[in-house]
């Protein structure tokens, strides 16, 4: 059941600002960016908002923790332009990214299960083959070396970098941590601790924090979805939002949008 909040009373910019802990300029900026619907103006040119604008602002602020400011902005812009399907696609993409982050964390934990010093008989690698194994450029490995993530030795005859089995282990772990969103300056001390300790204990607190951040983002997405759904129910039905007549309706028996 949709509720029309456009006629539910007038609000000043300061009313929206105070209710959400913002400045009046921030409210005006959100309107200019399309996060809020366009406001009506009084005869003197002052903006007047309605409870619908308050609902839009609440939805946007609820979306930000789970989706980030840029994606939350794009979602609200699409909704206010009656492009609801575009907004839902953006939400789906955020959920896909969150799932990938979970899988990356699982991969890191799996990699940590085999962090004991590797025997030398398992072989050594040059920079090219190792880069191909990781799916990165050789320049990336050299950057990691400068940051202390890996410490390959130099072949005395050719001067080429030679990565021992332990170096390969460190590179694999560094790659997983980078995929998890950690900065080089965060990864380097972790790798150094693992290198010296020869075990996973130094990373246990990091993994707990990583789990907590993913869980917090997942919960934030639920909160944002509820607030956005409430806003959608309050908006006047646009032509694109209304269901088609039964004889014109297309039934999708198998969408592949989740893989896009």
């Amino acid at each position: 059941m949709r509720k029309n909040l456009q006629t539910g009373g007038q609000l000043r910019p300061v009313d929206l600002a105070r209710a959400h802990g913002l400045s009046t300029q921030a409210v005006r900026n959100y309107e200019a960016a399309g996060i809020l619907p366009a406001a009506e103006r009084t005869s003197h040119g002052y903006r007047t908002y309605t409870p619908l604008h308050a609902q839009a602002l609440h939805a946007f602020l609820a979306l930000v923790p789970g989706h980030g400011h840029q994606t939350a902005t794009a979602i609200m812009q699409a909704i206010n332009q009656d492009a609801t399907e575009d907004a839902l696609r953006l939400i789906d993409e955020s959920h896909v990214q969150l799932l990938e982050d979970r899988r990356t964390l699982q991969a890191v934990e799996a990699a940590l299960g085999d962090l004991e010093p590797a025997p030398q008989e398992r072989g050594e690698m040059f920079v090219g083959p190792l880069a191909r194994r990781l799916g990165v450029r050789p320049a990336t490995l050299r950057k990691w070396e400068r940051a202390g993530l890996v410490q390959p030795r130099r072949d005395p005859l050719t001067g080429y970098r030679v990565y021992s089995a332990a170096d390969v282990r460190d590179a694999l772990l560094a790659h997983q941590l980078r995929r998890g969103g950690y900065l080089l300056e965060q990864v380097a001390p972790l790798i150094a601790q693992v290198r010296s300790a020869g075990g996973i204990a130094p990373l246990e607190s990091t993994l707990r924090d990583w789990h907590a951040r993913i869980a917090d983002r997942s919960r934030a997405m639920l909160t944002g979805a509820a607030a956005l759904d409430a806003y959608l129910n309050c908006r006047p039905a646009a032509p694109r939002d209304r269901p088609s007549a039964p004889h014109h309706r297309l039934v999708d028996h198998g969408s592949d949008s989740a893989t896009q």
Side-chain angles (χ1 to χ4, degrees):
M1 175 87 56
R2 288 181 180 270
K3 299 178 181 178
N4 189 349
L5 298 185
Q6 289 183 311
T7 58
Q10 293 185 347
L11 299 171
R12 301 169 300 168
V14 68
D15 297 326
L16 264 67
R18 288 174 178 171
H20 294 86
L22 301 171
S23 66
T24 53
Q25 185 60 51
V27 173
R28 289 191 288 267
N29 291 344
Y30 288 155
E31 180 194 347
I35 294 169
L36 305 182
E40 298 291 338
R41 297 280 186 146
T42 68
S43 58
H44 297 288
Y46 295 113
R47 291 177 174 84
T48 60
Y49 296 112
T50 68
L52 181 68
H53 293 90
Q55 192 74 56
L57 183 56
H58 175 69
F60 170 70
L61 296 176
L63 287 168
V64 170
H67 298 271
H69 192 281
Q70 182 175 352
T71 299
T73 297
I75 290 170
M76 295 301 297
Q77 289 171 338
I79 293 294
N80 292 326
Q81 293 168 6
D82 297 325
T84 304
E85 289 187 5
D86 291 342
L88 296 177
R89 176 182 54 80
L90 291 168
I91 293 171
D92 291 343
E93 289 175 351
S94 283
H95 282 281
V96 169
Q97 182 59 58
L98 180 62
L99 179 59
E100 182 61 28
D101 290 344
R102 288 189 182 278
R103 288 171 173 166
T104 299
L105 174 55
Q106 292 172 350
V108 170
E109 291 181 316
L112 292 176
D114 188 27
L115 283 181
E116 297 304 319
Q120 292 298 321
E121 60 265 26
R122 290 176 62 179
E124 297 178 327
M125 300 182 71
F126 291 110
V127 63
L130 180 56
R132 287 192 294 272
R133 177 175 176 181
L134 296 175
V136 301
R137 296 179 301 170
T140 298
L141 285 172
R142 291 191 285 270
K143 182 178 180 180
W144 291 358
E145 181 183 351
R146 291 193 296 271
L149 275 62
V150 291
Q151 298 177 340
R153 67 177 180 86
R154 294 291 188 130
D155 185 284
L157 297 178
T158 63
Y160 293 156
R161 291 173 173 84
V162 180
Y163 294 83
S164 68
D167 293 323
V168 173
R169 175 206 67 195
D170 293 344
L172 289 169
L173 180 57
H175 183 49
Q176 296 285 21
L177 290 171
R178 289 286 287 154
R179 288 182 58 197
Y182 285 84
L183 303 175
L184 288 178
E185 54 266 32
Q186 296 173 312
V187 175
L190 297 174
I191 298 294
Q193 288 176 335
V194 171
R195 189 181 296 129
S196 61
I200 68 172
L203 287 178
E204 290 179 351
S205 61
T206 297
L207 294 176
R208 286 195 299 269
D209 175 67
W210 196 346
H211 274 288
R213 287 190 290 112
I214 288 180
D216 288 345
R217 186 181 175 200
S218 184
R219 287 293 301 272
M221 284 185 175
L222 291 177
T223 301
L228 183 63
D229 185 61
Y231 176 55
L232 286 170
N233 287 331
C234 294
R235 295 182 72 249
R240 290 183 61 178
D241 293 332
R242 297 191 183 104
S244 305
H247 62 281
H248 289 149
R249 185 174 299 163
L250 297 178
V251 179
D252 184 2
H253 292 288
S255 173
D256 61 353
S257 63
T259 62
Q260 295 177 355

